Amino acid sequence: MLVLLPPSEGKAGAARGRPLAWESLSLPALTEARARVLDELVELCSGDPDKAREVLGLSEGQSDEVARNAGLRTAPTAPAGAVYTGVLYDALGLASLSPAAKRRAGRALLVFSGLWGALRIGDRIPAYRCSGGVKLPGLGPLAGHWRGPLGEVLPEVAGAGPVLDLRSAAYAALWRPTGALAERTLTVRVLQERLVNGTPKRSVVSHFNKATKGRLVRDLLEAGPLPRRAGHVAGALRELGHRVEEDPAAPGRLDVVVTEV
């Protein structure tokens, strides 16, 4: 089973550690595409800071992010699972997983990134700022840059098992499964159910869907061997106490219903 995750906008920078070593990153076939993005990003952030903030969608108060990007080649690195922070990763709690669950996480989790394309959680990277929706001056939209390289690499990485796609729209645009792999890919929609004048009403959860998705992944990792078939994923989540519904009109989507977010 492969679990596709978005990164986090906020990232925890390492205080010390060796700089980036390309050869140490997983999915080495992506090295050339990664290097092109990094070169463009460093060049952009080493020049006019106002232009860099505009391209990256940052405010004046985030000028430190521009300076950090300019120093990416020599910045200290840490495992991606420690660099990415935020609601989903807080709920996932990688550091507190059991040893067996950590091993499963290392094999199953794949984090998408505007800079790196896709990473394993053990890959050592510096903290950076470059969302998947960015359009770099020399490369254009990052979704277009990554679609080809990821399309060549990821079908083999996914293998014959199910794919649980928990990415946000900006990162789903970097690569979309096709063919038989698409048929084994499941997405999750989080719905909050509340009583309104005594009648149950449902609404799509936005921000806090990340926490629910983090808990889903954590529970699967801790439960034992991950499901090997797409048709077993919903049942596995139900056994773990999650309320999961399937809609025949929307094959491949799992609706997770929560009453608290």
Side-chain angles (χ1 to χ4, degrees):
M1 182 177 184
L2 190 65
V3 180
L4 311 183
L5 298 176
S8 59
E9 288 301 318
K11 298 172 184 71
R16 63 187 68 183
R18 60 181 182 271
L20 176 67
W22 293 107
E23 67 278 4
S24 72
L25 299 180
S26 60
L27 312 181
L30 299 178
T31 298
E32 181 179 348
R34 288 166 172 161
R36 290 184 65 194
V37 180
L38 185 134
D39 288 346
E40 285 276 347
L41 187 60
V42 169
E43 180 179 357
L44 171 69
C45 294
S46 299
D48 182 348
D50 292 335
K51 178 181 178 181
R53 286 198 306 270
E54 180 182 357
V55 170
L56 299 175
L58 302 176
S59 68
E60 287 190 21
Q62 295 173 304
S63 295
D64 57 331
E65 300 277 12
V66 174
R68 184 155 68 173
N69 280 350
L72 283 174
R73 292 193 181 94
T74 57
T77 61
V83 171
Y84 293 120
T85 59
V87 176
L88 188 153
Y89 290 90
D90 286 347
L92 174 53
L94 289 167
S96 62
L97 290 173
S98 66
K102 286 181 179 177
R103 290 192 293 272
R104 283 189 280 272
R107 295 190 298 267
L109 303 188
L110 202 63
V111 183
F112 278 67
S113 162
L115 173 52
W116 312 108
L119 295 164
R120 299 289 190 184
I121 59 170
D123 288 339
R124 296 188 65 90
I125 58 171
Y128 65 96
R129 190 65 175 258
C130 184
S131 71
V134 162
K135 181 180 179 180
L136 290 174
L139 287 180
L142 289 177
H145 172 73
W146 282 115
R147 203 166 290 129
L150 290 172
E152 294 179 4
V153 171
L154 295 188
E156 182 177 352
V157 174
V163 175
L164 185 61
D165 189 350
L166 304 179
R167 297 173 296 168
S168 54
Y171 295 95
L174 271 60
W175 173 71
R176 299 184 191 279
T178 59
L181 182 56
E183 296 175 2
R184 303 196 306 273
T185 298
L186 301 169
T187 60
V188 169
R189 183 175 68 164
V190 181
L191 302 174
Q192 183 182 14
E193 186 173 272
R194 294 175 292 177
L195 284 178
V196 179
N197 297 325
T199 302
K201 300 287 185 180
R202 291 182 177 180
S203 59
V204 176
V205 177
S206 55
H207 178 68
F208 287 100
N209 88 91
K210 297 176 183 179
T212 299
K213 290 176 178 178
R215 289 191 288 267
L216 292 179
V217 176
R218 182 181 179 90
D219 289 347
L220 285 170
L221 294 171
E222 289 285 10
L226 296 171
R228 295 187 177 183
R229 295 181 181 275
H232 296 168
V233 175
L237 289 171
R238 291 187 188 108
E239 289 179 4
L240 293 168
H242 297 280
R243 185 177 169 188
V244 180
E245 298 178 358
E246 299 172 87
D247 184 351
R253 189 186 74 204
L254 303 180
D255 285 341
V256 178
V257 183
V258 298
T259 57
E260 297 180 359
V261 292

